[in-house]
Amino acid sequence: SRSAAGASLLIIYLAIRRRRRLSSSFLPTQSFGAKHEGLLRDARLDKLLVITDFDATLTTGDSTQCHDLVGFSDLLAAQFREGFAPLLDWQTNPLTDGVQWWDTAHALMVKYGQPPRSLIPRMVRQSSMVPRPGALKLLHRLALLNVPVLIVSAGLSDVIEEFLRQHDALTENITVCSNRLNYGADLAPQSVAPDPPITSFTKASAYRAARSFFKHHAARRSLLVLGDSITDIDAATEVPYDHLISVGFPNSRGPEATAKYAESYDALVLGDHGSLAAVDELVDDVMAAELSASEHITRLSKLKRQPSTGAFGVDRQ
């Protein structure tokens, strides 16, 4: 039938795309093969859920990150920037390796009332925050397929949502779990939620922080988890699942760091500008496997409906 032929052609097309992935910046690790096969044995788009970091994952590895955008912006008060500057001194600041960094950063935002809500669109527009190649296409595709996406970030929800909005990517299937500025009537931040904040060291708290999201999508137990830090995979630690494939983005980190990523993630995307096309093709794989299974079931159903015949072609019914 036309529908069966169309499904077969789509499966072939998706297989070709999958082969192209092998020559890209996508690097499967030892755990990938078995997990990939397991995912496809139970492949269904209505079971799929994506958990992803934002900074240096959905954006390029050399993009401005959320808190950097706030701290470096010359649109904000000079007194605030002077107070914030030590936090951006990654070489000598003793707070860079602990949760206290976020507490201090957010306290400064509240103290100086920065950034005003009205300036965030302009700050994002003028920043060097760039979508990773393939990111917008992937997000658009997931929206069309109604696949829920949870962005778990140690950055700022207000900046992330504005970035997505400016790229026509803030769709209904996306939920942002990050640090949100709570604004007062004067459009200055009065507090930051949650408290304690979401940091690169506390990603495991995402399951509790986004409990309503996970409750609503409890039936989706096939996870794709994306992140540029070793700890980003922790966002799925407490999430019940049947299948999980994690993709790490070492960006411009050296060979030694990349080797550590290979121990933590099922696959890697290499380079600051490594494409998310490979993740898009994992979605293709799920679609192809689901179509193939559906086509097989259709054929079996048709065979069952056909009358059985004897050795001489006589209908036994």
Side-chain angles (χ1 to χ4, degrees):
S1 69
R2 288 185 178 180
S3 59
S8 297
L9 286 172
L10 181 56
I11 291 169
I12 292 170
Y13 165 73
L14 296 177
I16 291 171
R17 282 192 53 170
R18 181 182 171 192
R19 280 196 288 273
R20 287 176 182 169
R21 181 175 66 212
L22 300 178
S23 61
S24 72
S25 57
F26 184 76
L27 178 66
T29 65
Q30 288 186 342
S31 59
F32 179 79
K35 288 192 172 186
H36 186 242
E37 289 178 9
L39 173 69
L40 299 189
R41 278 197 301 269
D42 194 28
R44 280 175 50 181
L45 284 173
D46 62 1
K47 289 187 176 182
L48 191 63
L49 186 148
V50 176
I51 301 174
T52 179
D53 177 49
F54 178 74
D55 285 319
T57 301
L58 293 180
T59 60
T60 60
D62 53 5
S63 281
T64 300
Q65 300 195 15
C66 289
H67 286 88
D68 296 343
L69 181 151
V70 172
F72 286 126
S73 177
D74 58 8
L75 296 174
L76 302 186
Q79 192 175 10
F80 165 74
R81 285 188 283 124
E82 289 172 6
F84 206 91
L87 293 177
L88 302 176
D89 180 1
W90 306 109
Q91 301 301 317
T92 60
N93 187 350
L95 298 180
T96 55
D97 289 329
V99 176
Q100 188 182 351
W101 188 96
W102 280 263
D103 289 331
T104 304
H106 297 165
L108 286 169
M109 293 181 193
V110 172
K111 177 181 178 180
Y112 291 102
Q114 301 288 298
R117 176 184 282 172
S118 58
L119 281 183
I120 291 179
R122 186 177 169 191
M123 289 167 58
V124 172
R125 193 160 41 246
Q126 294 181 355
S127 74
S128 298
M129 186 178 281
V130 180
R132 181 177 289 275
L136 298 180
K137 181 181 177 184
L138 173 64
L139 293 177
H140 179 66
R141 183 112 178 280
L142 294 172
L144 288 176
L145 296 173
N146 294 315
V147 174
V149 177
L150 180 68
I151 297 175
V152 181
S153 172
L156 298 166
S157 296
D158 309 77
V159 171
I160 294 168
E161 290 172 356
E162 182 59 34
F163 176 85
L164 295 174
R165 188 178 294 111
Q166 291 185 13
H167 289 88
D168 296 321
L170 188 59
T171 47
E172 291 183 359
N173 66 311
I174 291 179
T175 299
V176 177
C177 178
S178 187
N179 302 296
R180 187 173 297 278
L181 301 173
N182 297 318
Y183 284 93
D186 59 354
L187 302 183
Q190 304 296 306
S191 63
V192 182
D195 184 16
I198 296 175
T199 77
S200 56
F201 305 99
T202 58
K203 289 289 185 83
S205 65
Y207 186 65
R208 295 186 298 277
R211 62 173 62 89
S212 59
F213 172 89
F214 287 112
K215 182 178 180 180
H216 183 70
H217 299 297
R220 292 181 176 267
R221 296 174 61 93
S222 294
L223 309 183
L224 294 181
V225 182
L226 318 178
D228 76 295
S229 297
I230 295 291
T231 55
D232 284 338
I233 198 172
D234 293 347
T237 298
E238 299 182 31
V239 182
Y241 66 86
D242 297 321
H243 306 285
L244 185 155
I245 291 180
S246 59
V247 182
F249 298 77
N251 293 311
S252 59
R253 297 175 179 91
E256 186 175 338
T258 299
K260 291 181 180 179
Y261 276 68
E263 295 173 359
S264 301
Y265 285 93
D266 302 313
L268 304 180
V269 172
L270 304 178
D272 281 342
H273 293 256
S275 176
L276 275 161
V279 180
D280 196 9
E281 289 161 18
L282 287 175
V283 179
D284 283 346
D285 292 347
V286 173
M287 288 181 62
E290 184 174 2
L291 282 168
S292 181
S294 177
E295 187 177 351
H296 180 65
I297 292 170
T298 301
R299 286 175 178 172
L300 287 177
S301 178
K302 287 181 178 179
L303 287 173
K304 288 180 180 179
R305 289 199 300 268
Q306 290 177 357
S308 59
T309 57
F312 299 97
V314 178
D315 191 345
R316 289 180 176 173
Q317 293 185 351

